[in-house]
mmCIF file of all heavy atoms in Angstrom:
data_model
loop_
_atom_site.group_PDB
_atom_site.id
_atom_site.type_symbol
_atom_site.label_atom_id
_atom_site.label_comp_id
_atom_site.label_asym_id
_atom_site.label_seq_id
_atom_site.Cartn_x
_atom_site.Cartn_y
_atom_site.Cartn_z
ATOM 1 N N GLU T 1 -99.729 -16.023 9.926
ATOM 2 C CA GLU T 1 -101.143 -15.756 9.790
ATOM 3 C C GLU T 1 -101.542 -15.276 8.389
ATOM 4 O O GLU T 1 -102.689 -15.603 7.887
ATOM 5 C CB GLU T 1 -101.600 -14.599 10.776
ATOM 6 C CG GLU T 1 -101.611 -15.096 12.208
ATOM 7 C CD GLU T 1 -102.180 -14.029 13.163
ATOM 8 O OE1 GLU T 1 -102.820 -13.054 12.694
ATOM 9 O OE2 GLU T 1 -102.109 -14.242 14.402
ATOM 10 N N THR T 2 -100.590 -14.726 7.656
ATOM 11 C CA THR T 2 -100.855 -14.310 6.252
ATOM 12 C C THR T 2 -101.097 -15.590 5.414
ATOM 13 O O THR T 2 -102.082 -15.595 4.599
ATOM 14 C CB THR T 2 -99.636 -13.585 5.659
ATOM 15 O OG1 THR T 2 -99.420 -12.420 6.500
ATOM 16 C CG2 THR T 2 -99.951 -13.237 4.232
ATOM 17 N N ASP T 3 -100.342 -16.652 5.632
ATOM 18 C CA ASP T 3 -100.533 -17.878 4.952
ATOM 19 C C ASP T 3 -101.859 -18.473 5.332
ATOM 20 O O ASP T 3 -102.634 -19.097 4.472
ATOM 21 C CB ASP T 3 -99.415 -18.861 5.276
ATOM 22 C CG ASP T 3 -98.046 -18.355 4.784
ATOM 23 O OD1 ASP T 3 -97.921 -18.170 3.561
ATOM 24 O OD2 ASP T 3 -97.158 -18.177 5.608
ATOM 25 N N VAL T 4 -102.288 -18.415 6.623
ATOM 26 C CA VAL T 4 -103.561 -18.946 7.003
ATOM 27 C C VAL T 4 -104.723 -18.193 6.344
ATOM 28 O O VAL T 4 -105.660 -18.824 5.819
ATOM 29 C CB VAL T 4 -103.752 -18.874 8.560
ATOM 30 C CG1 VAL T 4 -105.072 -19.274 8.997
ATOM 31 C CG2 VAL T 4 -102.666 -19.749 9.235
ATOM 32 N N ASP T 5 -104.658 -16.864 6.258
ATOM 33 C CA ASP T 5 -105.635 -16.123 5.664
ATOM 34 C C ASP T 5 -105.805 -16.442 4.128
ATOM 35 O O ASP T 5 -106.930 -16.608 3.594
ATOM 36 C CB ASP T 5 -105.371 -14.634 5.768
ATOM 37 C CG ASP T 5 -105.544 -14.104 7.217
ATOM 38 O OD1 ASP T 5 -106.276 -14.828 7.970
ATOM 39 O OD2 ASP T 5 -104.957 -13.035 7.523
ATOM 40 N N LYS T 6 -104.643 -16.683 3.470
ATOM 41 C CA LYS T 6 -104.634 -17.101 2.085
ATOM 42 C C LYS T 6 -105.347 -18.483 1.927
ATOM 43 O O LYS T 6 -106.173 -18.699 0.999
ATOM 44 C CB LYS T 6 -103.335 -17.128 1.535
ATOM 45 C CG LYS T 6 -102.630 -15.750 1.330
ATOM 46 C CD LYS T 6 -101.185 -15.883 0.767
ATOM 47 C CE LYS T 6 -100.578 -14.522 0.549
ATOM 48 N NZ LYS T 6 -99.161 -14.656 0.106
ATOM 49 N N THR T 7 -105.048 -19.362 2.831
ATOM 50 C CA THR T 7 -105.554 -20.723 2.763
ATOM 51 C C THR T 7 -107.090 -20.683 2.997
ATOM 52 O O THR T 7 -107.830 -21.322 2.273
ATOM 53 C CB THR T 7 -104.946 -21.590 3.831
ATOM 54 O OG1 THR T 7 -103.481 -21.654 3.667
ATOM 55 C CG2 THR T 7 -105.481 -23.005 3.786
ATOM 56 N N LEU T 8 -107.563 -19.911 3.958
ATOM 57 C CA LEU T 8 -108.974 -19.898 4.205
ATOM 58 C C LEU T 8 -109.764 -19.290 3.079
ATOM 59 O O LEU T 8 -110.941 -19.662 2.920
ATOM 60 C CB LEU T 8 -109.217 -18.936 5.467
ATOM 61 C CG LEU T 8 -108.848 -19.595 6.816
ATOM 62 C CD1 LEU T 8 -109.026 -18.580 7.945
ATOM 63 C CD2 LEU T 8 -109.608 -20.809 7.145
ATOM 64 N N SER T 9 -109.129 -18.513 2.206
ATOM 65 C CA SER T 9 -109.847 -17.936 1.057
ATOM 66 C C SER T 9 -110.197 -19.143 0.043
ATOM 67 O O SER T 9 -111.043 -18.891 -0.781
ATOM 68 C CB SER T 9 -108.962 -16.889 0.311
ATOM 69 O OG SER T 9 -107.856 -17.509 -0.254
ATOM 70 N N PHE T 10 -109.520 -20.204 0.146
ATOM 71 C CA PHE T 10 -109.875 -21.364 -0.682
ATOM 72 C C PHE T 10 -110.940 -22.243 -0.176
ATOM 73 O O PHE T 10 -111.405 -23.224 -0.802
ATOM 74 C CB PHE T 10 -108.558 -22.195 -0.977
ATOM 75 C CG PHE T 10 -107.605 -21.456 -1.817
ATOM 76 C CD1 PHE T 10 -106.492 -20.886 -1.250
ATOM 77 C CD2 PHE T 10 -107.781 -21.363 -3.209
ATOM 78 C CE1 PHE T 10 -105.609 -20.180 -2.016
ATOM 79 C CE2 PHE T 10 -106.770 -20.684 -3.998
ATOM 80 C CZ PHE T 10 -105.767 -20.048 -3.368
ATOM 81 N N PHE T 11 -111.359 -22.053 1.132
ATOM 82 C CA PHE T 11 -112.367 -22.869 1.686
ATOM 83 C C PHE T 11 -113.778 -22.552 1.231
ATOM 84 O O PHE T 11 -114.054 -21.389 0.952
ATOM 85 C CB PHE T 11 -112.340 -22.741 3.234
ATOM 86 C CG PHE T 11 -111.298 -23.541 4.008
ATOM 87 C CD1 PHE T 11 -109.941 -23.431 3.645
ATOM 88 C CD2 PHE T 11 -111.631 -24.465 4.920
ATOM 89 C CE1 PHE T 11 -109.021 -24.174 4.326
ATOM 90 C CE2 PHE T 11 -110.719 -25.252 5.560
ATOM 91 C CZ PHE T 11 -109.371 -25.109 5.238
ATOM 92 N N ASP T 12 -114.563 -23.595 0.917
ATOM 93 C CA ASP T 12 -115.940 -23.365 0.509
ATOM 94 C C ASP T 12 -116.810 -24.250 1.364
ATOM 95 O O ASP T 12 -116.798 -25.531 1.253
ATOM 96 C CB ASP T 12 -116.000 -23.849 -0.995
ATOM 97 C CG ASP T 12 -117.364 -23.464 -1.670
ATOM 98 O OD1 ASP T 12 -118.078 -22.742 -1.050
ATOM 99 O OD2 ASP T 12 -117.559 -23.843 -2.806
ATOM 100 N N PRO T 13 -117.633 -23.620 2.190
ATOM 101 C CA PRO T 13 -118.519 -24.430 3.093
ATOM 102 C C PRO T 13 -119.448 -25.332 2.253
ATOM 103 O O PRO T 13 -120.071 -24.858 1.220
ATOM 104 C CB PRO T 13 -119.263 -23.404 3.944
ATOM 105 C CG PRO T 13 -118.391 -22.176 3.823
ATOM 106 C CD PRO T 13 -117.714 -22.232 2.509
ATOM 107 N N VAL T 14 -119.644 -26.578 2.757
ATOM 108 C CA VAL T 14 -120.557 -27.508 2.079
ATOM 109 C C VAL T 14 -121.513 -28.015 3.062
ATOM 110 O O VAL T 14 -121.099 -28.548 4.134
ATOM 111 C CB VAL T 14 -119.666 -28.662 1.503
ATOM 112 C CG1 VAL T 14 -120.627 -29.705 0.844
ATOM 113 C CG2 VAL T 14 -118.764 -28.146 0.360
ATOM 114 N N PRO T 15 -122.773 -27.975 2.812
ATOM 115 C CA PRO T 15 -123.828 -28.531 3.771
ATOM 116 C C PRO T 15 -123.688 -30.036 3.813
ATOM 117 O O PRO T 15 -123.267 -30.738 2.881
ATOM 118 C CB PRO T 15 -125.199 -28.136 3.061
ATOM 119 C CG PRO T 15 -124.817 -27.127 2.038
ATOM 120 C CD PRO T 15 -123.465 -27.464 1.644
ATOM 121 N N LEU T 16 -124.103 -30.593 4.912
ATOM 122 C CA LEU T 16 -124.192 -32.083 5.088
ATOM 123 C C LEU T 16 -125.286 -32.567 4.211
ATOM 124 O O LEU T 16 -126.270 -31.935 3.925
ATOM 125 C CB LEU T 16 -124.390 -32.412 6.560
ATOM 126 C CG LEU T 16 -123.336 -32.085 7.550
ATOM 127 C CD1 LEU T 16 -123.781 -32.412 8.957
ATOM 128 C CD2 LEU T 16 -122.047 -32.854 7.245
ATOM 129 N N ASP T 17 -125.073 -33.828 3.757
ATOM 130 C CA ASP T 17 -126.107 -34.641 3.025
ATOM 131 C C ASP T 17 -126.554 -33.938 1.762
ATOM 132 O O ASP T 17 -127.810 -34.119 1.278
ATOM 133 C CB ASP T 17 -127.313 -34.915 3.943
ATOM 134 C CG ASP T 17 -126.958 -35.593 5.220
ATOM 135 O OD1 ASP T 17 -126.132 -36.592 5.165
ATOM 136 O OD2 ASP T 17 -127.368 -35.216 6.305
ATOM 137 N N GLU T 18 -125.726 -33.169 1.112
ATOM 138 C CA GLU T 18 -126.058 -32.569 -0.135
ATOM 139 C C GLU T 18 -125.024 -32.942 -1.180
ATOM 140 O O GLU T 18 -123.846 -32.797 -0.940
ATOM 141 C CB GLU T 18 -126.115 -31.028 0.059
ATOM 142 C CG GLU T 18 -126.558 -30.251 -1.223
ATOM 143 C CD GLU T 18 -126.747 -28.827 -0.938
ATOM 144 O OE1 GLU T 18 -127.479 -28.476 -0.017
ATOM 145 O OE2 GLU T 18 -126.127 -28.006 -1.682
ATOM 146 N N ASP T 19 -125.466 -33.453 -2.297
ATOM 147 C CA ASP T 19 -124.520 -33.834 -3.426
ATOM 148 C C ASP T 19 -123.960 -32.576 -4.043
ATOM 149 O O ASP T 19 -124.744 -31.782 -4.602
ATOM 150 C CB ASP T 19 -125.337 -34.722 -4.382
ATOM 151 C CG ASP T 19 -124.467 -35.262 -5.466
ATOM 152 O OD1 ASP T 19 -123.384 -35.797 -5.204
ATOM 153 O OD2 ASP T 19 -124.882 -35.185 -6.679
ATOM 154 N N VAL T 20 -122.677 -32.486 -4.088
ATOM 155 C CA VAL T 20 -122.021 -31.234 -4.604
ATOM 156 C C VAL T 20 -120.990 -31.631 -5.671
ATOM 157 O O VAL T 20 -120.140 -32.496 -5.394
ATOM 158 C CB VAL T 20 -121.290 -30.520 -3.446
ATOM 159 C CG1 VAL T 20 -120.595 -29.230 -3.962
ATOM 160 C CG2 VAL T 20 -122.391 -30.032 -2.391
ATOM 161 N N GLY T 21 -120.887 -30.983 -6.694
ATOM 162 C CA GLY T 21 -119.897 -31.174 -7.731
ATOM 163 C C GLY T 21 -118.653 -30.352 -7.299
ATOM 164 O O GLY T 21 -118.731 -29.186 -7.066
ATOM 165 N N ILE T 22 -117.452 -31.031 -7.172
ATOM 166 C CA ILE T 22 -116.289 -30.361 -6.725
ATOM 167 C C ILE T 22 -115.280 -30.083 -7.909
ATOM 168 O O ILE T 22 -114.361 -29.332 -7.781
ATOM 169 C CB ILE T 22 -115.599 -31.039 -5.571
ATOM 170 C CG1 ILE T 22 -115.211 -32.453 -5.868
ATOM 171 C CG2 ILE T 22 -116.529 -30.954 -4.377
ATOM 172 C CD1 ILE T 22 -114.413 -33.164 -4.776
ATOM 173 N N MET T 23 -115.410 -30.868 -8.916
ATOM 174 C CA MET T 23 -114.634 -30.681 -10.138
ATOM 175 C C MET T 23 -115.325 -31.522 -11.290
ATOM 176 O O MET T 23 -116.215 -32.313 -10.862
ATOM 177 C CB MET T 23 -113.157 -31.053 -9.916
ATOM 178 C CG MET T 23 -112.838 -32.509 -9.514
ATOM 179 S SD MET T 23 -111.132 -32.754 -9.274
ATOM 180 C CE MET T 23 -110.374 -32.463 -10.864
ATOM 181 N N ALA T 24 -114.826 -31.422 -12.416
ATOM 182 C CA ALA T 24 -115.488 -32.076 -13.539
ATOM 183 C C ALA T 24 -115.653 -33.610 -13.287
ATOM 184 O O ALA T 24 -114.610 -34.290 -13.134
ATOM 185 C CB ALA T 24 -114.768 -31.891 -14.822
ATOM 186 N N GLY T 25 -116.862 -34.117 -13.209
ATOM 187 C CA GLY T 25 -117.129 -35.528 -13.107
ATOM 188 C C GLY T 25 -116.962 -36.114 -11.724
ATOM 189 O O GLY T 25 -117.097 -37.360 -11.538
ATOM 190 N N ILE T 26 -116.673 -35.310 -10.751
ATOM 191 C CA ILE T 26 -116.492 -35.787 -9.339
ATOM 192 C C ILE T 26 -117.553 -35.139 -8.401
ATOM 193 O O ILE T 26 -117.620 -33.901 -8.332
ATOM 194 C CB ILE T 26 -115.104 -35.589 -8.818
ATOM 195 C CG1 ILE T 26 -114.093 -36.420 -9.729
ATOM 196 C CG2 ILE T 26 -114.999 -36.039 -7.348
ATOM 197 C CD1 ILE T 26 -112.694 -36.273 -9.226
ATOM 198 N N ARG T 27 -118.322 -35.972 -7.686
ATOM 199 C CA ARG T 27 -119.376 -35.519 -6.772
ATOM 200 C C ARG T 27 -118.985 -35.902 -5.365
ATOM 201 O O ARG T 27 -118.384 -36.879 -5.087
ATOM 202 C CB ARG T 27 -120.669 -36.166 -7.143
ATOM 203 C CG ARG T 27 -121.062 -36.116 -8.562
ATOM 204 C CD ARG T 27 -121.473 -34.774 -9.100
ATOM 205 N NE ARG T 27 -122.544 -34.189 -8.322
ATOM 206 C CZ ARG T 27 -123.049 -32.942 -8.525
ATOM 207 N NH1 ARG T 27 -122.448 -32.189 -9.508
ATOM 208 N NH2 ARG T 27 -124.070 -32.438 -7.898
ATOM 209 N N LEU T 28 -119.310 -34.949 -4.406
ATOM 210 C CA LEU T 28 -119.021 -35.134 -2.986
ATOM 211 C C LEU T 28 -120.278 -35.092 -2.201
ATOM 212 O O LEU T 28 -121.120 -34.168 -2.419
ATOM 213 C CB LEU T 28 -118.037 -34.039 -2.599
ATOM 214 C CG LEU T 28 -117.817 -33.846 -1.048
ATOM 215 C CD1 LEU T 28 -117.049 -35.026 -0.490
ATOM 216 C CD2 LEU T 28 -117.170 -32.515 -0.733
ATOM 217 N N THR T 29 -120.406 -36.014 -1.186
ATOM 218 C CA THR T 29 -121.494 -35.861 -0.205
ATOM 219 C C THR T 29 -120.818 -35.993 1.163
ATOM 220 O O THR T 29 -120.082 -36.962 1.386
ATOM 221 C CB THR T 29 -122.587 -36.903 -0.409
ATOM 222 O OG1 THR T 29 -123.058 -36.854 -1.744
ATOM 223 C CG2 THR T 29 -123.727 -36.693 0.561
ATOM 224 N N LEU T 30 -121.091 -35.046 2.028
ATOM 225 C CA LEU T 30 -120.581 -35.119 3.472
ATOM 226 C C LEU T 30 -121.692 -35.600 4.312
ATOM 227 O O LEU T 30 -122.814 -35.206 4.270
ATOM 228 C CB LEU T 30 -120.065 -33.800 3.859
ATOM 229 C CG LEU T 30 -118.888 -33.218 3.058
ATOM 230 C CD1 LEU T 30 -118.495 -31.773 3.607
ATOM 231 C CD2 LEU T 30 -117.693 -34.079 3.139
#
């Protein structure tokens, strides 16, 4: 569970149908 908690700290919720920059030069839409 400690590893799971650490992993969840890296999660960033993203809304649907919204253009989001995830790193330099790369855009994501869900």
Side-chain angles (χ1 to χ4, degrees):
E1 290 188 10
T2 301
D3 297 298
V4 174
D5 290 338
K6 290 179 180 177
T7 302
L8 288 175
S9 70
F10 292 99
F11 277 58
D12 190 7
V14 174
L16 293 174
D17 302 315
E18 184 173 307
D19 185 47
V20 176
I22 59 173
M23 59 183 298
I26 298 182
R27 312 289 299 178
L28 166 73
T29 306
L30 298 178

